[in-house]
Amino acid sequence: MRHLLLPVVCLLTLGVHAQEITYAVDTSCGCDIIYVDGIQTTRDGNLYGFQRNDGTVISPNIYRHVDQFSHGYCRVWVDDSSVTMPQGVDLPLLAGLIDSTGRQVVPCTYDAVEFPSSGRILVGRNGFFGYTDLDGHPIIPIQYRDASSFIQNRACVGLVIDSAFLFYTFIDTLGQQLFPPVYQNARPFIDGHATVRRYDRWGIIDTMGHEVIPTVYESITMPDHGTLFAGDSSGMAFFRLNTQSPSHPVTQPLYQPITIVAENRIGVSRNGKQGFLDLNGKEVISCQYDEIGLFRQGRAFVRIGDRCGMVDTLGRIILPLEYEDRTPKGLKYVYRDGLALVEKEGRLGYVDLDGNLVVPLVLEEAYEFTEGLASAKKDGLWGYVDNHGELFIPFIFDIAAPFRWGRADVYFNGQRLTIDRNGRCVKNCKGIISFK
């Protein structure tokens, strides 16, 4: 196979681990080959393996299914040949874990396996769970009916008591129970606090097992580290955990939280209208809108009736509520690269952080910015504008997709091509060099 190795085009972040993505082109078929951290998935029929971008085989094609490498590990699956299935029915799969050398860290003998965390690997078999060390040696027996990966050296586990009842507790990395199993449900620790349920009521415990929020609430939501809402369907109060009196609510039970948390703003609903609290529970943007959006670059979408605009983190109107949100294409009113897509009277354009139109409302269709460019349609043809509002690649395409990892698929005269950020054709070119 002939490879033309292309330069690195992005860093894909998974957790705290930045993964290097590179492309190669197989000139015999014009197809892309993607390397994640220098490792490529290979295939032979229905079996998969891995090799490095220099051709070194990490693993032969022996796996029925594979995941993507992350943090130096990859989950893999093989057929469970110990069972017999009717003809035409696939065999069940057994999961394992390999490292970047191809070594089976966890052998493919489990029903489920997770990525390592806190030096432990969660594994499951026959509906029960346990943990191995980083060499795949069982270290905490498979005995839990439910279990999480370790977070902050604690894992949430469920034990069957008296052969019928499931109770939850937390264990350390040696498998020692930190508290008695007295809860009917629990969620992993986040910044020293965990949500627990006793019978049908929820509360919060600290790392010592103390109930800093008593288990008396119908519902608890933790929208951001150190903050939570607790209450019922009629209203929830806002709490701050990192105070001297965490069990005392900061607000009355007036709100229903919306899963919108960004830039120190928490979306809430009160009396059917939406607004924002800050992380101290102050209603910094009053609940007056029919719909709100996520803050990005200090701006958030708001809507009253069929009129849309944007506000800053103090609630000041940045984009007047005189715009629309009717056409389906693109994610509008969200800033990327300092510009946001907006709509009025069926036409689209882009505004800057001050609400000024940088690209006039002349576009028929458009997408949000990715990698400094946005695909847009004018007079029936597609092209690309940059984040200065300048036309970067002319409106000459039948279709133009957003850029991902330095490349975009386009249709030109009915032919599907791939271009790079410089407008150069890099795949299926047939004599085409550049569109700039």
Side-chain angles (χ1 to χ4, degrees), residues 1-57:
M1 182 180 291
R2 294 169 290 163
H3 294 169
L4 299 177
L5 191 61
L6 299 176
V8 174
V9 295
C10 83
L11 289 179
L12 175 63
T13 302
L14 298 177
V16 297
H17 178 70
Q19 293 195 286
E20 184 182 68
I21 310 295
T22 60
Y23 286 95
V25 176
D26 176 4
T27 55
S28 65
C29 66
C31 53
D32 284 346
I33 303 167
I34 301 176
Y35 295 98
V36 179
D37 288 346
I39 298 174
Q40 176 217 350
T41 303
T42 59
R43 180 176 181 176
D44 181 10
N46 292 323
L47 296 177
Y48 297 86
F50 297 95
Q51 70 178 25
R52 297 197 180 278
N53 53 17
D54 63 1
T56 302
V57 174

Side-chain angles (χ1 to χ4, degrees), residues 69-288:
F69 268 90
S70 177
H71 301 253
Y73 294 92
C74 185
R75 294 184 296 182
V76 294
W77 289 261
V78 299
D79 287 331
D80 183 0
S81 56
S82 66
V83 299
T84 301
M85 303 297 290
Q87 187 173 1
V89 178
D90 292 338
L91 290 170
L93 297 178
L94 294 176
L97 193 74
I98 65 173
D99 64 16
S100 57
T101 69
R103 178 177 68 100
Q104 278 198 13
V105 175
V106 176
C108 293
T109 58
Y110 297 97
D111 300 328
V113 63
E114 294 297 328
F115 288 103
S117 177
S118 298
R120 297 292 181 262
I121 301 170
L122 174 64
V123 295
R125 183 184 290 136
N126 299 325
F128 286 83
F129 299 89
Y131 301 85
T132 75
D133 62 18
L134 293 181
D135 290 318
H137 301 135
I139 197 165
I140 301 176
I142 293 179
Q143 57 185 310
Y144 305 113
R145 199 65 181 87
D146 193 9
S148 74
S149 291
F150 277 90
I151 299 176
Q152 299 170 349
N153 294 316
R154 291 173 171 82
C156 176
V157 296
L159 301 94
V160 176
I161 307 296
D162 294 332
S163 302
F165 302 101
L166 186 63
F167 286 85
Y168 284 79
T169 184
F170 293 85
I171 60 173
D172 64 19
T173 54
L174 295 178
Q176 299 297 312
Q177 289 188 22
L178 300 176
F179 326 117
V182 297
Y183 298 108
Q184 278 66 52
N185 206 339
R187 301 167 186 162
F189 272 93
I190 299 176
D191 285 349
H193 295 94
T195 306
V196 295
R197 178 169 62 85
R198 193 190 296 267
Y199 301 106
D200 62 346
R201 290 292 183 261
W202 291 88
I204 301 289
I205 63 173
D206 62 17
T207 55
M208 302 300 294
H210 301 141
E211 289 190 4
V212 295
I213 303 290
T215 50
V216 298
Y217 295 100
E218 183 180 297
S219 179
I220 283 183
T221 299
M222 296 182 70
D224 194 74
H225 296 173
T227 68
L228 65 90
F229 290 89
D232 56 32
S233 57
S234 65
M236 303 180 76
F238 181 82
F239 293 76
R240 283 196 60 82
L241 292 173
N242 299 319
T243 64
Q244 291 184 344
S245 302
S247 62
H248 294 158
V250 176
T251 72
Q252 295 297 314
L254 302 173
Y255 301 102
Q256 292 297 334
I258 302 171
T259 54
I260 297 175
V261 182
E263 300 187 6
N264 298 324
R265 295 294 180 263
I266 302 171
V268 294
S269 174
R270 176 165 60 87
N271 297 327
K273 296 292 184 178
Q274 300 180 6
F276 290 91
L277 305 185
D278 65 16
L279 297 186
N280 293 314
K282 180 182 178 182
E283 194 173 301
V284 289
I285 300 176
S286 63
C287 293
Q288 59 181 302

